[in-house]
Amino acid sequence: MASKVTVTTLLQMKSKKEKIVALTAYDYPFSRLVDESEVDVILIGDSLGMVVQGESSTLPVTMDEMVYHTRIVARGASRAMVVGDMPFMSYQTELSDALFNAGRLLKEAGAAAIKLEGGASVCGLVEAMTRAGIPVMAHIGLTPQSVHQMGGFRVQRDRDRLLEDARQVEAAGAFSVVLEGIPADIAKEITDTLKIPTIGIGAGPDCDGQILVLHDLLGINEGHVPKFVKKYADLAGAAREGLRRYVKEVRGGKFPDKEHCY
Ligand code: KIV
């Protein structure tokens, strides 16, 4: 069995200029498939609110739901590093709540690290978690939990602020940072400036790694998909075709046939 990807592996990959491949997953069967494909990092993103639960934003996702999904994903991942996402309001109230909730993702769910959204404003949390032995992946740029504050899911273009956020989360101890929805030239500048790896989503080709939402790239999510998504398969089409044939065969008395009877 290949050795487990760790924080150290990711730092080494950056220094060797090897691209880090990351992907979301939300359940055991897909976790196994993603892990077998040698994806380096599996994020149980709170995007599950939108792609699995059918919500219009990530805001309703609860801490208990994140613990549940992280646990079933962790069970399927033998090589990839498992990162659990901190949902909205699980870390914005009190530091002690944030530490307790982050700890749950490691203790109860088997994650190796957590991710939270925010730059300079969350540095105190990043420091405290890192001190407590909880590795933190930061997330700056388009931060979906701030959808109402941003006035929608908008590309973030304030270069100075983005650079400052990136520098500060690194200084606070984050082991990597997701750059979401920012112009490619700014993402490159941040990537060249930081020692920790940057993982891009809608941030161009020069980040140290890339992440996508699994249901977008496999064509399961047929709702709105952003410009940066590339669809690598059409699982919704394949599922629809299989379901159509099943319905037709049951109605037509063709299933079950002899082969599928005792
Ligand atoms: O929630 C999520 O899936 C994410 C990634 C898209 C980075 O935050």
Side-chain angles (χ1 to χ4, degrees), residues 24 26 43 45-47 85 115 139 178 180 201 211 213:
T24 68
Y26 313 102
L43 170 72
D46 63 354
S47 51
D85 213 357
K115 178 174 84 58
H139 181 163
V178 170
E180 177 164 357
I201 173 162
I211 185 163
V213 167

Side-chain angles (χ1 to χ4, degrees), residues 29-42:
F30 275 115
S31 172
R32 289 195 57 165
L33 290 170
V34 171
D35 192 63
E36 269 172 38
S37 312
E38 302 204 345
V39 165
D40 303 304
V41 176
I42 303 181

Side-chain angles (χ1 to χ4, degrees), residues 2 20 34 36 39 42 47 53 59 80 95 97 100 114 117 129-130 152 162 175 183-184 200 214-215 247 251 255 261:
I20 298 165
V34 171
E36 269 172 38
V39 165
I42 303 181
S47 51
Q53 299 175 333
L59 303 189
L95 176 62
D97 292 345
F100 177 78
I114 64 98
E117 296 182 8
M129 288 178 188
T130 308
L162 289 164
F175 73 92
L214 181 71
H215 288 46
V247 169
R251 294 226 164 98
F255 178 84
C261 290

Side-chain angles (χ1 to χ4, degrees), residues 9 77 92 97 102 119 126 130 141 166 168 174 182 198 205 210 213 252 259-260:
T9 321
Q92 290 92 338
D97 292 345
V126 176
T130 308
Q168 290 212 23
I182 70 177
T198 59
Q210 296 291 329
V213 167
E259 198 192 333
H260 298 98

